[in-house]
Structure formats: C-alpha cells, structure tokens
Amino acid sequence: MQESPYLEGNGFLMEKLQHLPFLGSVSEKYIKDILRFSKIRKFDDGEIITKEKSYDSWVYILFSGAVKIEKNGKEIARLDEIGNTFGELAAIDGKMRSASVEAIGPTVCLAIDTSFMNETAEPLEQALFVSVLYKLFAEVMAQRLRSTNDELIRVRSELEMLKGYKS
C-alpha cells in the first residue's frame, strides 16, 4: 500500500468529492473536515485492504479500481463504481471487521480515519460533524439492506422452486 499524508488543505479534491454519491449532499465545510482526517491509499492487485476480524477505524471511498468483499473465505460482493463505500460498519459500532476487502487490480481509495470522531475540540461542532457522517453511513447501509432483502427474496423463491413448493 502506498499512502499520502493527511489531506488537510488539499482543496483540489473538493470538486471530485462533491460529485461522489456518498458525499454529494454534504456541504463544502464538512468535506473540508473529512479531508483533514483522510488519506489517499493505493493498493496493488490482490492486496488486502481490510482483514476480517481485525480492528481499525478507517472508512473507504473507491476512487478507481475495484474490490471484492469476502466473508469466511467466500466472495459476497464486488464494488467497482467510483464512490462505492466500505468499512462503515466497524466505524459505527467499533467492532471487528465483518469481512475482508481485497483490491482487484490497481485500486485507489480515499481512506477516512474515523477515530477522530470523539476528539474534535468544540462539542457542538463535533456533534454536527459526527451526525453528518452517521447520516451518510446510514444511507449506505439502507441501500445495502434493500439490496440484501431483494437477494433474500430471490434466493427464497429459487429454494421454494427447487423444493417443489408454491408460494
């Protein structure tokens, strides 16, 4: 992995970040705050970005490339669209990673260090900023839950058909 320093003051990323689905609704002020705690990370093909059952506080936004997500050694998803996000569950609950994420080909991500969320000096500003991040995380999780529900219905229908049941 290659990693940049923290991106505070790197306004060149502002426009790119404002066009990402994950950050599109966030004000410029909060994007600047996010950049203060972010780095650009570059990964080689096959490199593990996060490891299942490990602990860390990074959330990733895909800038280029693709990743596969594996749980218990089985691939459960692939992310290949600019702006796809992963790692938010561990940031929310502080528990170990629920899956591993591996780079497919050269991959570049914005890595956001969420360990800072409890360290901002001004309490009101901290609360506002954390609420913005949590809203973003909730939107990502809601979309994933909808997709999972659709997949569950599809799999149950296939199972019923295989067993010869009728709904």
Side-chain angles (χ1 to χ4, degrees):
M1 169 185 60
Q2 295 177 336
E3 177 178 79
S4 74
Y6 282 101
L7 299 171
E8 182 173 14
N10 283 290
F12 71 92
L13 286 172
M14 288 295 297
E15 186 175 330
K16 182 172 184 158
L17 293 176
Q18 288 174 322
H19 287 79
L20 295 177
F22 181 68
L23 296 173
S25 63
V26 177
S27 74
E28 186 174 312
K29 179 202 179 321
Y30 290 122
I31 291 177
K32 285 180 182 177
D33 286 342
I34 289 170
L35 285 174
R36 286 186 359 200
F37 303 106
S38 299
K39 298 180 177 191
I40 300 290
R41 290 187 172 169
K42 297 179 182 180
F43 301 93
D44 294 325
D45 182 42
E47 192 170 356
I48 301 298
I49 299 172
T50 65
K51 186 174 169 101
E52 185 175 0
K53 297 184 180 176
S54 66
Y55 290 90
D56 71 54
S57 59
W58 294 89
V59 172
Y60 295 87
I61 301 174
L62 192 63
F63 273 5
S64 67
V67 298
K68 68 178 174 179
I69 301 169
E70 293 184 344
K71 183 160 184 72
N72 299 325
K74 294 187 183 208
E75 184 175 322
I76 58 172
R78 284 185 181 230
L79 303 176
D80 58 6
E81 293 181 24
I82 294 172
N84 281 153
T85 306
F86 57 94
E88 69 285 340
L89 285 178
I92 290 171
D93 66 12
K95 295 184 179 178
M96 67 177 86
R97 296 283 184 185
S98 61
S100 294
V101 179
E102 180 181 325
I104 301 172
T107 299
V108 179
C109 297
L110 178 72
I112 305 168
D113 182 1
T114 61
S115 66
F116 72 87
M117 289 194 299
N118 297 319
E119 300 173 8
T120 307
E122 165 59 45
L124 179 58
E125 192 60 33
Q126 174 191 357
L128 290 171
F129 182 55
V130 169
S131 68
V132 167
L133 276 181
Y134 276 29
K135 180 182 183 297
L136 294 171
F137 296 162
E139 289 171 358
V140 168
M141 291 172 39
Q143 187 278 328
R144 288 200 183 131
L145 183 56
R146 288 178 194 279
S147 295
T148 301
N149 286 341
D150 291 344
E151 180 72 5
L152 178 61
I153 295 298
R154 187 188 64 75
V155 169
R156 282 185 174 173
S157 295
E158 287 180 12
L159 183 59
E160 286 177 6
M161 189 174 69
L162 289 171
K163 288 182 172 181
Y165 294 128
K166 293 190 179 210
S167 301

